[in-house]
């Protein structure tokens, strides 16, 4: 018996809010509002006062460590953050959110049963002749990226740079993810996880076989997409989000040791934290470097906090 959908939140072609990194409006924040952002709240689980901006305990709040006001980066930053990374004490994306104005965080979960991706062009004047003249590509995948169904037999050809549809999609597209949770052998629950615009000039920072050095990009980068998670989780996000393969891939070619190396395991030199990757990539594509190094200083201090906390715990254990 075929499975059926018990609950569907959001129509596949409906008008759910579309996150566009190039059209975000940043309201002016008054002094009163700024103070409100820095008020603390009691966490229900830890009972520790926590900063509402950086989500760190108030005694090690990161907000006041920024030497400059929030930077107005001209290149938008879109961070696809794995669900398990959000509350990690060493997650560096929090520094991007408080230090870079034009930053968007999209929460992404693993595919445990199935996920459906609906891809459509942002510009109606574009055509997708290779997709039967439709402006929607429908892809359903299973756990770890195995393809379950496609809306067109020519979908694989979209990843070829010689394909006309490939170049149309490079002009900008929107992607909606509907995740499915299996409830029983013939029943699943469906809900919308994200609906985002991927404008022209978007690139993915990911070291694949197709990636080129960030300094060799021959067009203006307007939107930098970064995967936030452990390297194992980042690879899984990449495999389970087929729309990422439609983007130009860039990489950072250097063997710099991450500041993470003191407290968090990295596969090898050159594998950096999210905030380090963002800062170095922004510099490489021509973003004004003034203030960017200050974000790395905040990150270094956060790593130092974690190292001291670890030493304190070990000291208490040794005293028992």
């Amino acid at each position: 018996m075929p499975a059926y959908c018990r609950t569907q939140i959001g129509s596949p072609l409906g008008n759910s809010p579309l996150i566009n990194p190039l059209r975000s409006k940043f309201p002016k924040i008054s002094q009163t509002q700024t103070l409100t952002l820095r008020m603390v709240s009691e966490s229900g689980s830890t009972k520790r006062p926590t900063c509402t901006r950086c989500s760190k305990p108030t005694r090690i709040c990161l907000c006041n460590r920024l030497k400059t006001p929030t930077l107005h980066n001209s290149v938008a930053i879109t961070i696809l953050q794995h669900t398990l990374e959000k509350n990690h004490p060493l997650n560096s994306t929090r520094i991007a959110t408080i230090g870079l104005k034009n930053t968007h965080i999209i929460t992404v979960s693993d595919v445990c049963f199935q996920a459906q991706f609906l891809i459509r062009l942002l510009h109606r004047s574009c055509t997708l002749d290779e997709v039967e003249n439709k402006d929607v590509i429908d892809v359903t995948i299973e756990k770890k990226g195995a393809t379950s169904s496609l809306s067109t037999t020519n979908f694989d050809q979209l990843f070829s740079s010689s394909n006309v549809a490939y170049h149309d999609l490079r002009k900008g597209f929107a992607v909606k993810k509907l995740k499915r949770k299996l409830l029983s052998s013939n029943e699943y629950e469906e809900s919308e996880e994200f609906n985002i615009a991927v404008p022209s000039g978007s690139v993915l920072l990911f070291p694949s076989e197709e990636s080129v050095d960030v300094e060799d990009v021959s067009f203006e980068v307007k939107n930098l997409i970064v995967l936030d998670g452990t390297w194992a989780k980042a690879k899984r996000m990449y495999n389970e989000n087929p729309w990422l393969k439609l983007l130009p891939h860039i990489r950072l070619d250097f063997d710099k040791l991450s500041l993470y190396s003191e407290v968090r395991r990295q596969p090898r030199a050159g594998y950096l934290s999210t905030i380090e990757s963002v800062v170095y990539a922004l510099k490489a594509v021509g973003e004004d470097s003034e203030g960017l190094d200050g974000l790395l200083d905040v990150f270094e201090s956060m790593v130092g906090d974690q190292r001291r906390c670890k030493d304190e715990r070990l000291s208490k254990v040794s005293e028992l």
Side-chain angles (χ1 to χ4, degrees):
M1 181 181 296
Y4 65 90
C5 178
R6 178 182 179 183
T7 306
Q8 180 168 331
I9 303 176
S11 171
L13 298 179
N15 296 319
S16 55
L18 182 67
I19 300 174
N20 190 334
L22 300 187
R23 294 186 179 180
S24 295
K25 296 181 180 179
F26 305 104
K28 294 182 178 180
I29 300 177
S30 66
Q31 184 177 4
T32 303
Q33 289 175 308
T34 302
L35 292 174
T36 302
L37 286 172
R38 295 187 178 181
M39 288 178 64
V40 299
S41 60
E42 291 291 333
S43 172
S45 57
T46 63
K47 303 298 182 182
R48 294 184 302 177
T50 304
C51 175
T52 56
R53 286 191 69 201
C54 68
S55 302
K56 298 288 285 185
T58 52
R59 68 184 184 89
I60 52 174
C61 174
L62 304 176
C63 301
N64 292 325
R65 302 183 191 184
L66 291 172
K67 297 178 181 179
T68 59
T70 304
L71 302 177
H72 292 262
N73 48 305
S74 60
V75 177
I77 304 297
T78 301
I79 299 177
L80 304 184
Q81 184 177 62
H82 192 275
T83 51
L84 296 181
E85 194 70 16
K86 180 179 180 180
N87 296 319
H88 194 287
L90 279 174
N91 176 253
S92 65
T93 291
R94 68 184 84 233
I95 299 175
T97 59
I98 65 174
L100 295 170
K101 195 77 170 177
N102 195 3
T103 301
H104 305 81
I105 312 300
I106 309 297
T107 302
V108 180
S109 62
D110 290 336
V111 176
C112 297
F113 171 53
Q114 287 183 341
Q116 181 183 20
F117 294 88
L118 298 163
I119 303 170
R120 60 182 174 82
L121 295 174
L122 287 178
H123 304 286
R124 292 289 180 178
S125 59
C126 299
T127 61
L128 279 174
D129 295 333
E130 283 72 18
V131 195
E132 301 173 358
N133 294 319
K134 296 180 181 179
D135 63 348
V136 173
I137 304 170
D138 186 343
V139 187
T140 300
I141 64 163
E142 298 178 350
K143 188 175 181 179
K144 296 186 178 179
T147 302
S148 175
S149 66
L150 302 172
S151 62
T152 171
T153 56
N154 293 324
F155 182 80
D156 290 340
Q157 297 177 8
L158 293 176
F159 303 120
S160 171
S161 59
S162 62
N163 191 286
V164 176
Y166 174 87
H167 293 285
D168 283 342
L169 287 164
R170 286 290 180 91
K171 297 175 184 177
F173 61 90
V175 57
K176 177 186 289 188
K177 177 184 177 182
L178 302 173
K179 61 179 181 180
R180 295 171 180 172
K181 178 181 179 181
L182 187 63
L183 301 178
S184 64
S185 59
N186 65 341
E187 184 180 12
Y188 65 81
E189 182 180 77
E190 186 176 85
S191 61
E192 180 181 317
E193 183 165 284
F194 59 72
N195 184 21
I196 60 175
V198 184
S200 175
S202 294
V203 297
L204 173 68
L205 181 60
F206 190 78
S208 67
E209 294 181 358
E210 295 78 21
S211 63
V212 299
D213 186 274
V214 62
E215 296 183 353
D216 294 333
V217 177
S218 59
F219 56 88
E220 181 184 2
V221 175
K222 298 179 181 179
N223 182 38
L224 178 67
I225 299 177
V226 183
L227 306 183
D228 180 39
T230 64
W231 279 100
K233 289 298 184 185
K235 289 178 181 178
R236 182 164 178 175
M237 280 195 289
Y238 180 75
N239 291 330
E240 292 183 345
N241 285 268
W243 59 276
L244 292 174
K245 296 180 176 64
L246 296 171
L247 298 169
H249 291 34
I250 62 172
R251 64 178 183 272
L252 296 168
D253 277 342
F254 54 82
D255 295 327
K256 187 177 181 64
L257 192 64
S258 172
L259 294 171
Y260 257 154
S261 59
E262 295 184 37
V263 292
R264 198 172 187 184
R265 186 177 180 181
Q266 299 295 89
R268 62 174 181 267
Y271 281 54
L272 306 175
S273 66
T274 299
I275 190 61
E276 289 172 308
S277 300
V278 167
V279 167
Y280 293 132
L282 285 178
K283 288 183 177 181
V285 298
E287 188 74 35
D288 188 355
S289 61
E290 184 178 357
L292 289 175
D293 288 334
L295 301 181
L296 296 182
D297 292 338
V298 175
F299 176 56
E300 185 174 14
S301 71
M302 186 183 77
V303 172
D305 291 338
Q306 189 66 18
R307 185 177 59 249
R308 284 189 294 274
C309 290
K310 181 179 179 180
D311 292 341
E312 289 174 4
R313 288 196 298 269
L314 292 175
S315 177
K316 291 179 180 179
V317 170
S318 63
E319 292 175 358
L320 296 178

